[in-house]
Amino acid sequence: MNTLQLLFNAVTVIFIATTMFAAGLGATLPALRAVFSNVLLLLLVLLANLVAVPLLGWGVAALFGLPSASFIALLLIASSPGGPFGAKLGMVQNGDVAAGAAMQVLLSAVGSITFGPTVNVILQAANVGGGVALDVPALMLTVMVLQLVPFAVGLVVRHYAPLTALSWHPAAAKTSNVTFLIVLAGMLLGNWRDVVELIGSLSLLAGFVFAIVAFALGTALATGPWARRTTMGGVAAVRNAGPALAAVGIAFGNEPAILGALAAVLLSGLAATLPIAALLSRRRATQSPESDRLASPPGNERQNRET
C-alpha cells in the first residue's frame, strides 16, 4: 500500500469519526427522546431509509443498466442512511432542523448495524459484484467503532459539559467538512480516468434521479407539518459516505472504478438535492405560517395544528 493510499485511508477515518463526534456534540437527549416518542414518524422514517431507499437504489441501477462499478457504488450509497449533510439540508431549506438533526443521528447509528447485511442481500439478489460478499462482522465492527463510539463520546460531553460541547462543536464540524472535501477530491483526482469515463454515461444521471426520488420518498413517508416532511425528504436523499467508503476498502480493495463511481454518485446527488432545498427556502421566506399550512398536502391540516 503506497503512501498516498495510507494518507487517503487516514483522512477517511478522521472524516467519519469527526462527523459523528460533531453529531454527538450537537445532539441533546431531549431532542433524541422527542424523536423516539413520535412512534409513527420514527417507523415511517426507518421504513423509508432502511428498506425503500436501498430498494430504490437497486431499481435505479437496474433500470439504467449501470456497469458493475457504478451499480455497486449506487447500492453502497443507497444502503447507507444518515448522511450528515442531510441535517444541513434541513437548515438550507428552513425546515424542521431539530427533527432532521435528531433523525440523521439516529439513522447513522442504526445504519452502522444494518449497512453490511443490507448490501450483501441486494448484491446477491442483483447478482453483481462478482460474488463478492461483505465481511459483515468486520465491517460492522469497523463502522460501529468509527461511528457509534465518537457519537457516544460527543453525546456524553454534551450532556455533562454542555459549554465545552458548544465550544468544541464548531471545530469538529469544520474538521468534518474539510476532510469530506479532501476525501471527495481524493476520490475524484485519484481515480480521474474512471470519473472521466463516467461523463456522458448514465451513471451520473442515475445518481441524480436516485436522489430526487429518494427525496420524494422521504417526504411521503413522514408525518407532521410540511416543513418536517420535506426535512425528512432531505435526510433520506443524502446518504452516509462513511460506511460506503469503509466497504470499498474492506471488500473491494479500494478499487479505483468503484471509488470514482462513488464520488460521481455523491456529487450528482448533491447537485439534485441542493436546488430543491434552495427552492423550498425561497418559498418559505415569502410565506406566512398560515400559507405554509395551506401548502401542506391534503390531510395534514389536523397534524399541523396538533404539532
Side-chain angles (χ1 to χ4, degrees):
M1 186 177 293
N2 58 41
T3 303
L4 287 178
Q5 187 64 60
L6 287 173
L7 182 61
F8 176 81
N9 290 343
V11 174
T12 300
V13 169
I14 295 171
F15 157 63
I16 298 172
T18 56
T19 296
M20 294 309 299
F21 182 60
L25 292 175
T28 63
L29 292 178
L32 294 177
R33 280 196 294 267
V35 171
F36 290 133
S37 65
N38 192 334
V39 178
L40 180 58
L41 176 64
L42 179 62
L43 291 177
L44 287 174
V45 170
L46 290 175
L47 175 65
N49 284 271
L50 302 182
V51 180
V53 174
L55 292 177
L56 170 66
W58 179 11
V60 170
L63 177 65
F64 284 87
L66 297 184
S68 180
S70 297
F71 203 121
I72 292 170
L74 186 53
L75 289 185
L76 293 176
I77 289 296
S79 302
S80 184
F85 199 77
K88 292 181 182 179
L89 276 185
M91 300 178 188
V92 173
Q93 64 172 275
N94 291 323
D96 191 336
V97 177
M103 199 63 74
Q104 177 265 316
V105 167
L106 172 66
L107 287 170
S108 62
V110 175
S112 65
I113 300 172
T114 62
F115 172 73
T118 302
V119 171
N120 271 351
V121 168
I122 298 180
L123 283 177
Q124 292 173 9
N127 194 26
V128 295
V132 172
L134 303 187
D135 185 345
V136 173
L139 181 62
M140 190 178 295
L141 178 62
T142 300
V143 174
M144 288 179 66
V145 168
L146 291 178
Q147 290 202 145
L148 294 187
V149 172
F151 172 70
V153 172
L155 188 62
V156 168
V157 173
R158 177 60 187 264
H159 183 69
Y160 290 103
L163 294 180
T164 301
L166 292 176
S167 66
W168 287 1
H169 186 267
K174 185 175 182 179
T175 302
S176 171
N177 292 337
V178 171
T179 51
F180 173 70
L181 292 176
I182 294 174
V183 168
L184 193 59
M187 288 191 294
L188 289 171
L189 297 176
N191 311 283
W192 64 270
R193 290 186 179 86
D194 298 286
V195 174
V196 169
E197 289 179 359
L198 293 176
I199 298 176
S201 72
L202 295 177
S203 299
L204 293 173
L205 179 60
F208 192 88
V209 170
F210 164 77
I212 292 176
V213 179
F215 197 112
L217 274 174
T219 302
L221 292 174
T223 62
W226 186 238
R228 179 182 298 168
R229 292 165 66 91
T230 57
T231 300
M232 295 302 107
V235 170
V238 178
R239 313 304 282 174
N240 194 348
L245 287 168
V248 175
I250 293 174
F252 298 99
N254 283 322
E255 183 178 327
I258 299 179
L259 282 174
L262 200 65
V265 169
L266 288 170
L267 284 174
S268 59
L270 291 177
T273 53
L274 278 174
I276 296 175
L279 176 62
L280 290 170
S281 176
R282 285 197 296 270
R283 288 187 58 190
R284 285 169 184 152
T286 59
Q287 286 179 335
S288 66
E290 177 66 15
S291 62
D292 187 60
R293 179 185 68 80
L294 294 175
S296 299
N300 277 356
E301 183 175 346
R302 179 180 175 184
Q303 288 179 322
N304 292 344
R305 290 199 302 269
E306 293 174 350
T307 306

